[in-house]
PDB file of all heavy atoms in Angstrom:
ATOM      1  N   THR A 218      87.416 103.651  38.956  1.00  0.00           N
ATOM      2  CA  THR A 218      88.858 103.600  39.195  1.00  0.00           C
ATOM      3  C   THR A 218      89.377 102.193  38.981  1.00  0.00           C
ATOM      4  O   THR A 218      88.861 101.227  39.573  1.00  0.00           O
ATOM      5  CB  THR A 218      89.200 104.040  40.624  1.00  0.00           C
ATOM      6  OG1 THR A 218      88.687 105.356  40.869  1.00  0.00           O
ATOM      7  CG2 THR A 218      90.685 104.019  40.872  1.00  0.00           C
ATOM      8  N   THR A 219      90.387 102.070  38.123  1.00  0.00           N
ATOM      9  CA  THR A 219      91.124 100.787  38.036  1.00  0.00           C
ATOM     10  C   THR A 219      92.505 100.980  38.664  1.00  0.00           C
ATOM     11  O   THR A 219      93.050 102.107  38.632  1.00  0.00           O
ATOM     12  CB  THR A 219      91.264 100.338  36.554  1.00  0.00           C
ATOM     13  OG1 THR A 219      91.946 101.373  35.833  1.00  0.00           O
ATOM     14  CG2 THR A 219      89.914 100.062  35.935  1.00  0.00           C
ATOM     15  N   ILE A 220      93.030  99.904  39.206  1.00  0.00           N
ATOM     16  CA  ILE A 220      94.376  99.966  39.801  1.00  0.00           C
ATOM     17  C   ILE A 220      95.354  99.477  38.731  1.00  0.00           C
ATOM     18  O   ILE A 220      95.392  98.299  38.400  1.00  0.00           O
ATOM     19  CB  ILE A 220      94.456  99.095  41.057  1.00  0.00           C
ATOM     20  CG1 ILE A 220      93.343  99.472  42.040  1.00  0.00           C
ATOM     21  CG2 ILE A 220      95.836  99.274  41.696  1.00  0.00           C
ATOM     22  CD1 ILE A 220      93.307 100.917  42.466  1.00  0.00           C
ATOM     23  N   ARG A 221      96.071 100.416  38.151  1.00  0.00           N
ATOM     24  CA  ARG A 221      96.935 100.070  37.040  1.00  0.00           C
ATOM     25  C   ARG A 221      98.177  99.273  37.485  1.00  0.00           C
ATOM     26  O   ARG A 221      98.613  99.367  38.641  1.00  0.00           O
ATOM     27  CB  ARG A 221      97.387 101.364  36.328  1.00  0.00           C
ATOM     28  CG  ARG A 221      96.278 102.040  35.540  1.00  0.00           C
ATOM     29  CD  ARG A 221      96.661 103.419  35.098  1.00  0.00           C
ATOM     30  NE  ARG A 221      96.595 104.395  36.193  1.00  0.00           N
ATOM     31  CZ  ARG A 221      96.776 105.696  36.056  1.00  0.00           C
ATOM     32  NH1 ARG A 221      97.074 106.184  34.848  1.00  0.00           N
ATOM     33  NH2 ARG A 221      96.710 106.502  37.093  1.00  0.00           N
ATOM     34  N   THR A 222      98.677  98.495  36.573  1.00  0.00           N
ATOM     35  CA  THR A 222      99.903  97.739  36.828  1.00  0.00           C
ATOM     36  C   THR A 222     101.010  98.701  37.243  1.00  0.00           C
ATOM     37  O   THR A 222     101.305  99.669  36.548  1.00  0.00           O
ATOM     38  CB  THR A 222     100.324  96.979  35.549  1.00  0.00           C
ATOM     39  OG1 THR A 222      99.273  96.077  35.183  1.00  0.00           O
ATOM     40  CG2 THR A 222     101.593  96.181  35.806  1.00  0.00           C
ATOM     41  N   ASN A 223     101.619  98.433  38.400  1.00  0.00           N
ATOM     42  CA  ASN A 223     102.647  99.328  38.908  1.00  0.00           C
ATOM     43  C   ASN A 223     103.551  98.569  39.864  1.00  0.00           C
ATOM     44  O   ASN A 223     103.106  98.147  40.927  1.00  0.00           O
ATOM     45  CB  ASN A 223     102.008 100.521  39.604  1.00  0.00           C
ATOM     46  CG  ASN A 223     103.017 101.571  40.067  1.00  0.00           C
ATOM     47  OD1 ASN A 223     103.200 101.764  41.247  1.00  0.00           O
ATOM     48  ND2 ASN A 223     103.706 102.222  39.128  1.00  0.00           N
ATOM     49  N   ALA A 224     104.781  98.363  39.492  1.00  0.00           N
ATOM     50  CA  ALA A 224     105.712  97.553  40.286  1.00  0.00           C
ATOM     51  C   ALA A 224     105.937  98.160  41.666  1.00  0.00           C
ATOM     52  O   ALA A 224     106.254  97.430  42.605  1.00  0.00           O
ATOM     53  CB  ALA A 224     107.045  97.416  39.561  1.00  0.00           C
ATOM     54  N   ARG A 225     105.778  99.465  41.795  1.00  0.00           N
ATOM     55  CA  ARG A 225     106.033 100.112  43.090  1.00  0.00           C
ATOM     56  C   ARG A 225     105.032  99.683  44.144  1.00  0.00           C
ATOM     57  O   ARG A 225     105.299  99.762  45.343  1.00  0.00           O
ATOM     58  CB  ARG A 225     105.988 101.633  42.927  1.00  0.00           C
ATOM     59  CG  ARG A 225     106.900 102.172  41.867  1.00  0.00           C
ATOM     60  CD  ARG A 225     108.375 101.877  42.190  1.00  0.00           C
ATOM     61  NE  ARG A 225     108.966 102.957  42.970  1.00  0.00           N
ATOM     62  CZ  ARG A 225     110.173 102.891  43.525  1.00  0.00           C
ATOM     63  NH1 ARG A 225     110.881 101.784  43.398  1.00  0.00           N
ATOM     64  NH2 ARG A 225     110.641 103.913  44.209  1.00  0.00           N
ATOM     65  N   LEU A 226     103.852  99.188  43.733  1.00  0.00           N
ATOM     66  CA  LEU A 226     102.905  98.678  44.702  1.00  0.00           C
ATOM     67  C   LEU A 226     103.437  97.436  45.397  1.00  0.00           C
ATOM     68  O   LEU A 226     103.209  97.230  46.584  1.00  0.00           O
ATOM     69  CB  LEU A 226     101.576  98.375  43.996  1.00  0.00           C
ATOM     70  CG  LEU A 226     100.707  99.564  43.655  1.00  0.00           C
ATOM     71  CD1 LEU A 226      99.569  99.169  42.747  1.00  0.00           C
ATOM     72  CD2 LEU A 226     100.192 100.259  44.906  1.00  0.00           C
ATOM     73  N   SER A 227     104.148  96.595  44.665  1.00  0.00           N
ATOM     74  CA  SER A 227     104.762  95.412  45.290  1.00  0.00           C
ATOM     75  C   SER A 227     105.941  95.820  46.141  1.00  0.00           C
ATOM     76  O   SER A 227     106.160  95.278  47.237  1.00  0.00           O
ATOM     77  CB  SER A 227     105.222  94.424  44.217  1.00  0.00           C
ATOM     78  OG  SER A 227     104.138  93.961  43.439  1.00  0.00           O
ATOM     79  N   ASP A 228     106.681  96.804  45.680  1.00  0.00           N
ATOM     80  CA  ASP A 228     107.889  97.229  46.403  1.00  0.00           C
ATOM     81  C   ASP A 228     107.553  97.822  47.750  1.00  0.00           C
ATOM     82  O   ASP A 228     108.279  97.629  48.733  1.00  0.00           O
ATOM     83  CB  ASP A 228     108.675  98.243  45.576  1.00  0.00           C
ATOM     84  CG  ASP A 228     109.216  97.665  44.274  1.00  0.00           C
ATOM     85  OD1 ASP A 228     109.334  96.429  44.188  1.00  0.00           O
ATOM     86  OD2 ASP A 228     109.513  98.446  43.350  1.00  0.00           O
ATOM     87  N   CYS A 229     106.445  98.552  47.833  1.00  0.00           N
ATOM     88  CA  CYS A 229     106.153  99.261  49.088  1.00  0.00           C
ATOM     89  C   CYS A 229     105.826  98.307  50.222  1.00  0.00           C
ATOM     90  O   CYS A 229     106.027  98.637  51.378  1.00  0.00           O
ATOM     91  CB  CYS A 229     105.038 100.295  48.882  1.00  0.00           C
ATOM     92  SG  CYS A 229     103.368  99.638  48.733  1.00  0.00           S
ATOM     93  N   SER A 230     105.320  97.111  49.887  1.00  0.00           N
ATOM     94  CA  SER A 230     104.997  96.161  50.953  1.00  0.00           C
ATOM     95  C   SER A 230     106.233  95.697  51.673  1.00  0.00           C
ATOM     96  O   SER A 230     106.237  95.537  52.902  1.00  0.00           O
ATOM     97  CB  SER A 230     104.241  94.948  50.397  1.00  0.00           C
ATOM     98  OG  SER A 230     105.025  94.261  49.447  1.00  0.00           O
ATOM     99  N   SER A 231     107.338  95.523  50.964  1.00  0.00           N
ATOM    100  CA  SER A 231     108.572  95.084  51.592  1.00  0.00           C
ATOM    101  C   SER A 231     109.228  96.244  52.363  1.00  0.00           C
ATOM    102  O   SER A 231     110.101  96.028  53.222  1.00  0.00           O
ATOM    103  CB  SER A 231     109.549  94.568  50.551  1.00  0.00           C
ATOM    104  OG  SER A 231     109.840  95.513  49.576  1.00  0.00           O
ATOM    105  N   ALA A 232     108.788  97.467  52.084  1.00  0.00           N
ATOM    106  CA  ALA A 232     109.341  98.625  52.795  1.00  0.00           C
ATOM    107  C   ALA A 232     108.577  98.958  54.067  1.00  0.00           C
ATOM    108  O   ALA A 232     108.941  99.869  54.793  1.00  0.00           O
ATOM    109  CB  ALA A 232     109.355  99.845  51.861  1.00  0.00           C
ATOM    110  N   GLY A 233     107.468  98.232  54.301  1.00  0.00           N
ATOM    111  CA  GLY A 233     106.717  98.460  55.499  1.00  0.00           C
ATOM    112  C   GLY A 233     105.892  99.734  55.476  1.00  0.00           C
ATOM    113  O   GLY A 233     105.686 100.358  56.519  1.00  0.00           O
ATOM    114  N   SER A 234     105.429 100.165  54.306  1.00  0.00           N
ATOM    115  CA  SER A 234     104.711 101.428  54.214  1.00  0.00           C
ATOM    116  C   SER A 234     103.625 101.327  53.149  1.00  0.00           C
ATOM    117  O   SER A 234     103.552 100.381  52.348  1.00  0.00           O
ATOM    118  CB  SER A 234     105.674 102.550  53.846  1.00  0.00           C
ATOM    119  OG  SER A 234     106.211 102.374  52.551  1.00  0.00           O
ATOM    120  N   SER A 235     102.766 102.342  53.136  1.00  0.00           N
ATOM    121  CA  SER A 235     101.766 102.459  52.073  1.00  0.00           C
ATOM    122  C   SER A 235     102.422 103.063  50.839  1.00  0.00           C
ATOM    123  O   SER A 235     103.517 103.621  50.896  1.00  0.00           O
ATOM    124  CB  SER A 235     100.587 103.312  52.526  1.00  0.00           C
ATOM    125  OG  SER A 235     100.959 104.690  52.529  1.00  0.00           O
ATOM    126  N   ILE A 236     101.700 103.010  49.719  1.00  0.00           N
ATOM    127  CA  ILE A 236     102.234 103.541  48.485  1.00  0.00           C
ATOM    128  C   ILE A 236     102.396 105.068  48.560  1.00  0.00           C
ATOM    129  O   ILE A 236     103.246 105.678  47.935  1.00  0.00           O
ATOM    130  CB  ILE A 236     101.323 103.171  47.285  1.00  0.00           C
ATOM    131  CG1 ILE A 236     101.977 103.520  45.943  1.00  0.00           C
ATOM    132  CG2 ILE A 236      99.954 103.809  47.427  1.00  0.00           C
ATOM    133  CD1 ILE A 236     103.270 102.796  45.660  1.00  0.00           C
ATOM    134  N   PHE A 237     101.591 105.715  49.424  1.00  0.00           N
ATOM    135  CA  PHE A 237     101.637 107.179  49.540  1.00  0.00           C
ATOM    136  C   PHE A 237     102.936 107.656  50.169  1.00  0.00           C
ATOM    137  O   PHE A 237     103.411 108.760  49.872  1.00  0.00           O
ATOM    138  CB  PHE A 237     100.444 107.688  50.330  1.00  0.00           C
ATOM    139  CG  PHE A 237      99.130 107.276  49.727  1.00  0.00           C
ATOM    140  CD1 PHE A 237      98.360 106.268  50.289  1.00  0.00           C
ATOM    141  CD2 PHE A 237      98.668 107.875  48.577  1.00  0.00           C
ATOM    142  CE1 PHE A 237      97.157 105.862  49.715  1.00  0.00           C
ATOM    143  CE2 PHE A 237      97.483 107.494  47.990  1.00  0.00           C
ATOM    144  CZ  PHE A 237      96.728 106.475  48.558  1.00  0.00           C
TER     145      PHE A 237
END
Side-chain angles (χ1 to χ4, degrees):
T218 303
T219 58
I220 308 302
R221 289 169 284 186
T222 301
N223 184 246
R225 305 297 270 172
L226 284 169
S227 298
D228 296 339
C229 75
S230 62
S231 59
S234 66
S235 75
I236 190 63
F237 302 105

